[in-house]
Amino acid sequence: MPKVKTNSGAKKRFALTGTGKIKRKHAFHSHILTKKTKKQKRNLTQTGLVDSTNVRQVKELLCLR
């Protein structure tokens, strides 16, 4: 059996925390920022956690299962 490759896109987008949860960044913070409020832009810089419904899919992309 060949080795299973990690999805390169997922490798760049997600990171594991010390407790094993998966961190992610918010979307909508790369362009068209002039019409967004300061509060919106500030809140988009913070990282979030992957929702429990998507954890299994992301782990498969990262070959963590």
Side-chain angles (χ1 to χ4, degrees):
M1 284 288 292
K3 290 183 181 178
V4 179
K5 288 190 177 181
T6 301
N7 183 288
S8 296
K11 219 178 355 185
K12 298 166 192 172
R13 286 173 172 81
F14 301 106
L16 282 175
T17 63
T19 56
K21 294 176 183 171
I22 303 171
K23 283 194 300 188
R24 65 172 180 84
K25 291 181 180 174
H26 285 278
F28 307 111
H29 191 63
S30 57
H31 58 90
I32 314 175
L33 298 173
T34 52
K35 61 176 78 170
K36 294 176 184 135
T37 62
K38 288 179 186 178
K39 183 179 180 180
Q40 270 182 302
K41 290 184 277 193
R42 184 174 62 243
N43 288 336
L44 289 172
T45 61
Q46 298 161 2
T47 57
L49 294 174
V50 172
D51 192 64
S52 59
T53 57
N54 298 322
V55 167
R56 191 168 142 235
Q57 295 165 328
V58 175
K59 282 188 174 180
E60 284 177 10
L61 291 172
L62 295 172
C63 299
L64 295 175
R65 283 209 122 194

mmCIF file of all heavy atoms in Angstrom, residues 10-29:
data_model
loop_
_atom_site.group_PDB
_atom_site.id
_atom_site.type_symbol
_atom_site.label_atom_id
_atom_site.label_comp_id
_atom_site.label_asym_id
_atom_site.label_seq_id
_atom_site.Cartn_x
_atom_site.Cartn_y
_atom_site.Cartn_z
ATOM 1 N N ALA A 10 -5.391 21.881 2.565
ATOM 2 C CA ALA A 10 -5.798 21.774 3.965
ATOM 3 C C ALA A 10 -4.607 22.005 4.896
ATOM 4 O O ALA A 10 -4.760 22.581 5.973
ATOM 5 C CB ALA A 10 -6.410 20.407 4.234
ATOM 6 N N LYS A 11 -3.432 21.570 4.456
ATOM 7 C CA LYS A 11 -2.214 21.748 5.245
ATOM 8 C C LYS A 11 -1.971 23.228 5.539
ATOM 9 O O LYS A 11 -1.529 23.599 6.632
ATOM 10 C CB LYS A 11 -1.036 21.216 4.424
ATOM 11 C CG LYS A 11 -0.003 20.479 5.186
ATOM 12 C CD LYS A 11 1.136 19.913 4.371
ATOM 13 C CE LYS A 11 1.130 20.015 2.881
ATOM 14 N NZ LYS A 11 2.250 19.313 2.243
ATOM 15 N N LYS A 12 -2.272 24.074 4.551
ATOM 16 C CA LYS A 12 -2.025 25.512 4.674
ATOM 17 C C LYS A 12 -3.128 26.222 5.447
ATOM 18 O O LYS A 12 -2.909 27.309 5.976
ATOM 19 C CB LYS A 12 -1.917 26.131 3.277
ATOM 20 C CG LYS A 12 -0.771 25.579 2.468
ATOM 21 C CD LYS A 12 -0.916 25.948 1.009
ATOM 22 C CE LYS A 12 0.063 25.142 0.174
ATOM 23 N NZ LYS A 12 -0.172 25.315 -1.278
ATOM 24 N N ARG A 13 -4.315 25.646 5.501
ATOM 25 C CA ARG A 13 -5.468 26.341 6.074
ATOM 26 C C ARG A 13 -5.782 25.982 7.519
ATOM 27 O O ARG A 13 -6.434 26.750 8.219
ATOM 28 C CB ARG A 13 -6.711 26.048 5.223
ATOM 29 C CG ARG A 13 -6.707 26.773 3.914
ATOM 30 C CD ARG A 13 -7.856 26.310 3.043
ATOM 31 N NE ARG A 13 -7.986 27.118 1.842
ATOM 32 C CZ ARG A 13 -7.252 26.956 0.743
ATOM 33 N NH1 ARG A 13 -6.318 26.013 0.703
ATOM 34 N NH2 ARG A 13 -7.426 27.722 -0.300
ATOM 35 N N PHE A 14 -5.364 24.817 7.959
ATOM 36 C CA PHE A 14 -5.735 24.355 9.298
ATOM 37 C C PHE A 14 -4.499 24.057 10.135
ATOM 38 O O PHE A 14 -3.449 23.704 9.603
ATOM 39 C CB PHE A 14 -6.595 23.086 9.204
ATOM 40 C CG PHE A 14 -7.860 23.268 8.423
ATOM 41 C CD1 PHE A 14 -7.986 22.747 7.151
ATOM 42 C CD2 PHE A 14 -8.932 23.959 8.957
ATOM 43 C CE1 PHE A 14 -9.153 22.917 6.418
ATOM 44 C CE2 PHE A 14 -10.108 24.137 8.232
ATOM 45 C CZ PHE A 14 -10.203 23.616 6.965
ATOM 46 N N ALA A 15 -4.655 24.179 11.464
ATOM 47 C CA ALA A 15 -3.573 23.851 12.390
ATOM 48 C C ALA A 15 -4.172 23.183 13.617
ATOM 49 O O ALA A 15 -5.318 23.458 13.994
ATOM 50 C CB ALA A 15 -2.834 25.112 12.799
ATOM 51 N N LEU A 16 -3.408 22.295 14.219
ATOM 52 C CA LEU A 16 -3.875 21.612 15.426
ATOM 53 C C LEU A 16 -3.508 22.402 16.671
ATOM 54 O O LEU A 16 -2.428 22.992 16.742
ATOM 55 C CB LEU A 16 -3.236 20.224 15.523
ATOM 56 C CG LEU A 16 -3.821 19.127 14.653
ATOM 57 C CD1 LEU A 16 -2.989 17.862 14.800
ATOM 58 C CD2 LEU A 16 -5.260 18.853 15.010
ATOM 59 N N THR A 17 -4.400 22.391 17.651
ATOM 60 C CA THR A 17 -4.090 22.988 18.945
ATOM 61 C C THR A 17 -3.443 21.916 19.816
ATOM 62 O O THR A 17 -3.380 20.741 19.430
ATOM 63 C CB THR A 17 -5.375 23.497 19.637
ATOM 64 O OG1 THR A 17 -6.223 22.374 19.885
ATOM 65 C CG2 THR A 17 -6.094 24.520 18.796
ATOM 66 N N GLY A 18 -2.990 22.297 20.979
ATOM 67 C CA GLY A 18 -2.373 21.350 21.895
ATOM 68 C C GLY A 18 -3.328 20.284 22.382
ATOM 69 O O GLY A 18 -2.922 19.170 22.701
ATOM 70 N N THR A 19 -4.610 20.620 22.445
ATOM 71 C CA THR A 19 -5.607 19.658 22.934
ATOM 72 C C THR A 19 -6.197 18.817 21.809
ATOM 73 O O THR A 19 -7.096 18.022 22.044
ATOM 74 C CB THR A 19 -6.750 20.394 23.664
ATOM 75 O OG1 THR A 19 -7.310 21.364 22.776
ATOM 76 C CG2 THR A 19 -6.256 21.065 24.923
ATOM 77 N N GLY A 20 -5.742 19.034 20.565
ATOM 78 C CA GLY A 20 -6.194 18.213 19.458
ATOM 79 C C GLY A 20 -7.344 18.792 18.658
ATOM 80 O O GLY A 20 -7.845 18.155 17.744
ATOM 81 N N LYS A 21 -7.775 20.013 19.006
ATOM 82 C CA LYS A 21 -8.817 20.658 18.214
ATOM 83 C C LYS A 21 -8.171 21.258 16.964
ATOM 84 O O LYS A 21 -6.960 21.398 16.886
ATOM 85 C CB LYS A 21 -9.499 21.749 19.038
ATOM 86 C CG LYS A 21 -10.276 21.190 20.215
ATOM 87 C CD LYS A 21 -10.865 22.287 21.055
ATOM 88 C CE LYS A 21 -11.569 21.705 22.258
ATOM 89 N NZ LYS A 21 -11.969 22.747 23.205
ATOM 90 N N ILE A 22 -9.000 21.631 15.992
ATOM 91 C CA ILE A 22 -8.472 22.147 14.732
ATOM 92 C C ILE A 22 -8.802 23.638 14.615
ATOM 93 O O ILE A 22 -9.966 24.027 14.668
ATOM 94 C CB ILE A 22 -9.056 21.372 13.534
ATOM 95 C CG1 ILE A 22 -8.742 19.881 13.693
ATOM 96 C CG2 ILE A 22 -8.479 21.889 12.236
ATOM 97 C CD1 ILE A 22 -9.442 18.999 12.703
ATOM 98 N N LYS A 23 -7.750 24.455 14.457
ATOM 99 C CA LYS A 23 -7.917 25.893 14.302
ATOM 100 C C LYS A 23 -8.134 26.238 12.837
ATOM 101 O O LYS A 23 -7.622 25.566 11.951
ATOM 102 C CB LYS A 23 -6.659 26.643 14.758
ATOM 103 C CG LYS A 23 -6.503 26.771 16.233
ATOM 104 C CD LYS A 23 -5.450 27.790 16.592
ATOM 105 C CE LYS A 23 -4.082 27.441 16.045
ATOM 106 N NZ LYS A 23 -3.028 28.336 16.544
ATOM 107 N N ARG A 24 -8.858 27.333 12.602
ATOM 108 C CA ARG A 24 -9.078 27.817 11.245
ATOM 109 C C ARG A 24 -9.088 29.338 11.267
ATOM 110 O O ARG A 24 -9.223 29.960 12.321
ATOM 111 C CB ARG A 24 -10.417 27.326 10.703
ATOM 112 C CG ARG A 24 -11.591 27.890 11.478
ATOM 113 C CD ARG A 24 -12.923 27.573 10.854
ATOM 114 N NE ARG A 24 -14.004 28.139 11.636
ATOM 115 C CZ ARG A 24 -14.433 29.393 11.534
ATOM 116 N NH1 ARG A 24 -13.861 30.232 10.693
ATOM 117 N NH2 ARG A 24 -15.426 29.831 12.283
ATOM 118 N N LYS A 25 -8.933 29.925 10.086
ATOM 119 C CA LYS A 25 -9.025 31.373 9.958
ATOM 120 C C LYS A 25 -10.375 31.739 9.370
ATOM 121 O O LYS A 25 -11.033 30.902 8.733
ATOM 122 C CB LYS A 25 -7.908 31.898 9.061
ATOM 123 C CG LYS A 25 -6.539 31.782 9.695
ATOM 124 C CD LYS A 25 -5.472 32.338 8.796
ATOM 125 C CE LYS A 25 -4.114 32.208 9.454
ATOM 126 N NZ LYS A 25 -3.031 32.605 8.548
ATOM 127 N N HIS A 26 -10.798 32.970 9.583
ATOM 128 C CA HIS A 26 -12.062 33.445 9.033
ATOM 129 C C HIS A 26 -11.905 33.822 7.567
ATOM 130 O O HIS A 26 -10.849 34.303 7.146
ATOM 131 C CB HIS A 26 -12.555 34.669 9.805
ATOM 132 C CG HIS A 26 -13.127 34.338 11.136
ATOM 133 N ND1 HIS A 26 -14.416 33.899 11.299
ATOM 134 C CD2 HIS A 26 -12.596 34.362 12.372
ATOM 135 C CE1 HIS A 26 -14.656 33.680 12.575
ATOM 136 N NE2 HIS A 26 -13.560 33.957 13.259
ATOM 137 N N ALA A 27 -12.972 33.652 6.809
ATOM 138 C CA ALA A 27 -13.000 34.078 5.414
ATOM 139 C C ALA A 27 -13.367 35.560 5.347
ATOM 140 O O ALA A 27 -13.649 36.190 6.371
ATOM 141 C CB ALA A 27 -14.030 33.248 4.658
ATOM 142 N N PHE A 28 -13.365 36.116 4.155
ATOM 143 C CA PHE A 28 -13.803 37.491 3.864
ATOM 144 C C PHE A 28 -12.869 38.561 4.421
ATOM 145 O O PHE A 28 -13.300 39.680 4.681
ATOM 146 C CB PHE A 28 -15.235 37.747 4.384
ATOM 147 C CG PHE A 28 -16.227 36.735 3.907
ATOM 148 C CD1 PHE A 28 -16.791 35.828 4.790
ATOM 149 C CD2 PHE A 28 -16.575 36.666 2.568
ATOM 150 C CE1 PHE A 28 -17.710 34.893 4.344
ATOM 151 C CE2 PHE A 28 -17.507 35.731 2.120
ATOM 152 C CZ PHE A 28 -18.064 34.841 3.010
ATOM 153 N N HIS A 29 -11.588 38.259 4.596
ATOM 154 C CA HIS A 29 -10.662 39.284 5.107
ATOM 155 C C HIS A 29 -9.502 39.531 4.147
ATOM 156 O O HIS A 29 -8.470 40.050 4.533
ATOM 157 C CB HIS A 29 -10.124 38.867 6.484
ATOM 158 C CG HIS A 29 -9.394 39.964 7.196
ATOM 159 N ND1 HIS A 29 -10.024 41.134 7.568
ATOM 160 C CD2 HIS A 29 -8.108 40.088 7.573
ATOM 161 C CE1 HIS A 29 -9.132 41.916 8.164
ATOM 162 N NE2 HIS A 29 -7.961 41.304 8.178
#
